[in-house]
Every structure is written in C-alpha cells, then in structure tokens.
Amino acid sequence: MSKRQPAQRLADFLPYQLSVASNAVSTRIAEQYRKRFALKTTEWRIMAVLGDAGALTQREMSQLTLMDKVPVNRACKRLEDRGLIQRSPNASDGRSHLLELTTEGRAVHAGIMPLAVKIEEELFAVLSPAEQASLRDMLVRVRENAGDFDAESLAD
C-alpha cells in the first residue's frame, strides 16, 4: 500500500484547489447577480442564507457562512440601506438584532435563485448525477471533519 506524498506545489494542495474552485464558481454566479441586481458576493450570500434560514443575528450569519464578522457587518449595512434586509430587536437577547429579508429582499432573492440554480446546473453538467451526489457528500464530510469555529476566530 503506497502512502500519499504531501503536495509539493501549491497547485496540488487540496485546500488550495477547493478554494480556487469555490472562487471560480462563486465568481461565475456573482457576475450575473452583480449585473442584474448590483449585489456583491458577500451581500448575496447573506441574502441567500436569510432566504433559507429566516431571521438570524449577525453572529449566527458569520457562524453559518464561516465569513468574518467585519465583511458581514458591512454587507448587512449596505443591504439594510438598500431596503433588502431589515433589523429588529432580538427578543431572546436584548444585545443583538435579528436580520431578515424585506418584501423587496424576498423578491430579489426569488429573482436570483432560479438564475443561480441554472448556472449551477451548467457548471456541474461535466459531472454525472452520481458524481454530483458524491461530490456533495464528500464536501459535507470534509466540512464536518474540519470542526466547528467560533465567529470571533474567522477574521483573516
């Protein structure tokens, strides 16, 4: 049984490959929602998570997306200024606020999701349905194996 040798070049390093692949896919989708809806990647991720999960605190948003709290805060402020999300007091914690999509935010979300799904289908058409399912399963397992992170530790 041969042992896998460590990557000798950055291009062979799996975390680097995952990062580059993620950035390429995100950039491909981002081109569309930037052109049509004037949203940046972080803003769209926040809207997508709120569209799926409902109202969340910024800390919960950072935890779910594994994004640093500073870009999350800036993006939330821009989305709030545009009327796409709203902030309300958190009844279970008087120190934080809940963020949720506004009616306009839900309409933008509904406009982007079919576009994002279409692009996803185009990008992953090079994989069979079984390969796509396998890739999704493997990514979930790798993410779970990486462990949990505190939102405070996510700063670059």
Side-chain angles (χ1 to χ4, degrees):
M1 182 183 291
S2 70
K3 283 185 141 182
R4 178 166 158 78
Q5 295 296 315
Q8 299 298 313
R9 299 174 339 116
L10 181 60
D12 297 330
F13 189 53
L14 184 58
Y16 175 78
Q17 291 173 339
L18 289 170
S19 178
V20 169
S22 172
N23 288 342
V25 170
S26 292
T27 299
R28 173 68 174 83
I29 295 171
E31 289 173 350
Q32 296 302 311
Y33 55 71
R34 190 172 28 252
K35 284 179 194 174
R36 296 183 189 193
F37 300 97
L39 291 170
K40 295 179 179 179
T41 301
T42 305
E43 294 165 355
W44 167 241
R45 285 184 184 160
I46 288 167
M47 290 187 66
V49 170
L50 291 175
D52 283 351
L56 296 169
T57 66
Q58 281 186 207
R59 180 177 177 82
E60 291 168 329
M61 182 72 60
S62 290
Q63 287 292 142
L64 283 172
T65 60
L66 293 180
M67 292 189 301
D68 177 41
K69 66 181 181 178
V70 173
V72 168
N73 184 45
R74 287 184 187 136
C76 287
K77 178 71 174 123
R78 285 190 300 267
L79 291 169
E80 192 175 7
D81 289 347
R82 286 185 58 188
L84 299 175
I85 67 171
Q86 63 189 10
R87 191 179 300 263
S88 59
N90 184 354
S92 64
D93 174 6
R95 299 170 296 157
S96 65
H97 291 85
L98 292 172
L99 303 168
E100 61 186 322
L101 295 176
T102 62
T103 301
E104 184 180 352
R106 285 190 296 279
V108 169
H109 180 270
I112 293 176
M113 283 310 295
L115 177 64
V117 168
K118 181 179 179 277
I119 295 169
E120 177 189 48
E121 289 171 356
E122 291 170 5
L123 289 169
F124 291 102
V126 297
L127 301 175
S128 71
E131 289 172 323
Q132 289 179 38
S134 184
L135 176 61
R136 290 177 196 280
D137 176 64
M138 288 185 279
L139 289 172
V140 167
R141 288 187 289 154
V142 168
R143 167 60 194 101
E144 288 173 351
N145 195 43
D148 292 326
F149 304 94
D150 178 42
E152 301 296 318
S153 70
L154 298 174
D156 285 338

